Amino acid sequence: MNRPDQLWMAGEQALARKDLQTAERSYRAALAIDPSHAPALLGLSTVLLWLGRHRDGHDAGMAAFRVRPPVAPILYAIAQRLAYFHESESLAGCLQDPAFAAGAPADIIAKAAVMLSSAGAHEQATTLVEEGLRRRPSDAACLHVRGNFHFFRGELDAAEKCYEASLRSDPLLYQNSMMLAGLRPASPEHNQVDRFTAQLDRARPGGNGEIYLSFALHKQLHELRRFDEAWTALERGCAAKRRQVEYSTAQDVALVETIESVCDAAFVGATSGVAQPVVPIFIIGMHRSGTTLLERMLSGHSQVADAGETYAFHAEMELATDRSSAKGPDVGLVTAARSADFDRVASGYARRARWMSRGRPFITEKLPHNFLNVGFIAKALPQARFLHLQRDPTDTCFSNLRQLFSGVALYSYDQRELADFYLLYRRTMAHWQKVLPGRVLEIPYDSLVQDPSGTAGRVAAHCGLRFEDSMVDITRSSGTVSTASANIARQGFQRNRGQAWRDYAAHLQPLIDGLAPAYAAPAAP
């Protein structure tokens, strides 16, 4: 082992015992001898993040990317760090190295393909997972991921074959069962209730399998109109998931209060003058409020690229405030934003937007939680457009309750917490209407599904686009919809999706009572 490797190993040992100062010294000593030692750069990045030096940690991670050696495990470690910093373009470049596909095991290839898909590099992700299956055709993880990619493209028969093959390879990979439940509506003649029930009996209590299967069983029973049984399954799944997540309504109350304090009219009105290569269109609202339908509408326009649900803007806020906040804005980040350099935010976002736009002059950004960032976005990107989807409060919240999310919407597994969050969201949107009048176009969900052409015309005008007939054809086969609403979006504008909660009204009193203020007070105009 050469001297840089010895120093790097010493740094790893110090890091394992959380001796951060010793770890930093060891990594820097290794880099003094060999500045291109990628593992030492990654270790240094980790130490700096733990020390609260987010920008320096980012710089070390990017340095590791620039010197990346063609060694599969190191390339994957660098890609993981790039994903943490939401550096999508560099992530795609890192995993494009032929050495990664040639040397990584199939299960790591599956994880890398998910990272690429989450970054919007869908074609590259598909190519990579196909390579994993070429080398190991029965790999359960790769089969599951390929099934997801078929599902996102609306190729349901192909998705079903992949999920079934994945389950044959690993009967405990219950994510497949949850995805199978969402492929087609259950009917008395064709359903998987008995299968999911048997799987649930075998799943470990409190584990992910219990959660996946409870939500899958709820969906099938709901479609069969066996509502009491469906509620029992949903309640079980929500309770198991809530035990796994850490969430505090009080923290979100403090966050919204801080946003209101920092983002007054004077603060958000002092905007950046940094030119942007594209016009971002931010689609905001609660999860399950119709944002995917609206994104699908806009992405039908010849001038618009759909970037998906990216954390690109939030990543620039983390850099500008020198704070890590992996789950989105928090009180510390918002407070630090008072003195942040918003020209830096704008310049960094411009770099990311060039890659996301794929050469088109407009992009959609559809991360629902960006409703918390509206003031900061308006300040950094004065040319940005905002579209706010509003759906009936109980419809929205019940749809959240029924949806198993991946790492987001932690408030959605308890009725009271869900109602409280909804009210905080409404309060935040009312604040933006007050300090940014005219910037946010409010779009009622009912208008979107009942009058798509008229809504598309209003949306196009607000965004500075000319209406195109293709905007209304959301059932088109082109494009990738990589959210839980993928199948629904491809079914077109449906007018009968509301009021599903009424079949469960006897069980939903905490939610109904909690949402009462949302009906007493008018929505933001």
Side-chain angles (χ1 to χ4, degrees), residues 384-463:
R385 307 298 202 271
F386 299 98
L387 305 172
H388 174 213
L389 255 293
Q390 293 189 84
R391 189 181 178 192
D392 174 81
T394 314
D395 281 340
T396 302
C397 289
F398 183 59
S399 189
N400 273 257
L401 192 71
R402 297 182 61 214
Q403 179 64 47
L404 178 59
F405 293 97
S406 178
V408 297
L410 303 183
Y411 52 80
S412 67
Y413 305 106
D414 176 273
Q415 293 188 51
R416 176 59 67 174
E417 290 173 340
L418 177 52
D420 288 344
F421 185 87
Y422 183 88
L423 297 179
L424 286 172
Y425 142 74
R426 286 279 292 266
R427 172 177 167 178
T428 306
M429 292 311 304
H431 177 72
W432 299 137
Q433 289 291 356
K434 178 181 176 182
V435 300
L436 291 165
R439 287 297 303 274
V440 180
L441 178 64
E442 304 288 347
I443 303 172
Y445 176 83
D446 289 344
S447 296
L448 176 66
V449 298
Q450 293 175 11
D451 181 20
S453 294
T455 300
R458 291 191 295 276
V459 165
H462 181 77
C463 295

Side-chain angles (χ1 to χ4, degrees), residues 178 208 211-212 214-215 231 233-249 286-288 396-422 484 507-508 510-511:
M178 188 179 69
N208 287 332
I211 296 169
Y212 291 130
S214 294
F215 277 86
W231 175 257
L234 178 59
E235 192 173 39
R236 178 177 178 178
C238 285
K241 182 66 176 179
R242 183 63 186 87
R243 288 192 291 269
Q244 287 189 354
V245 303
E246 293 183 9
Y247 175 73
S248 166
T249 297
M286 285 282 288
H287 288 280
R288 314 298 293 171
T396 302
C397 289
F398 183 59
S399 189
N400 273 257
L401 192 71
R402 297 182 61 214
Q403 179 64 47
L404 178 59
F405 293 97
S406 178
V408 297
L410 303 183
Y411 52 80
S412 67
Y413 305 106
D414 176 273
Q415 293 188 51
R416 176 59 67 174
E417 290 173 340
L418 177 52
D420 288 344
F421 185 87
Y422 183 88
H507 305 288
L508 291 173
L511 179 64

Side-chain angles (χ1 to χ4, degrees), residues 76 95 100 104-117 125 128-133 139-146 148-149 173:
Y76 182 65
L95 294 177
F100 176 73
D107 61 324
I108 296 298
I109 284 179
K111 293 177 181 178
V114 171
M115 287 196 290
L116 286 168
S117 179
L128 186 60
V129 82
E130 292 296 341
E131 172 60 21
L133 287 168
D139 184 78
C142 283
L143 285 165
H144 175 76
V145 171
R146 183 167 69 174
N148 288 346
F149 294 168
L173 195 60

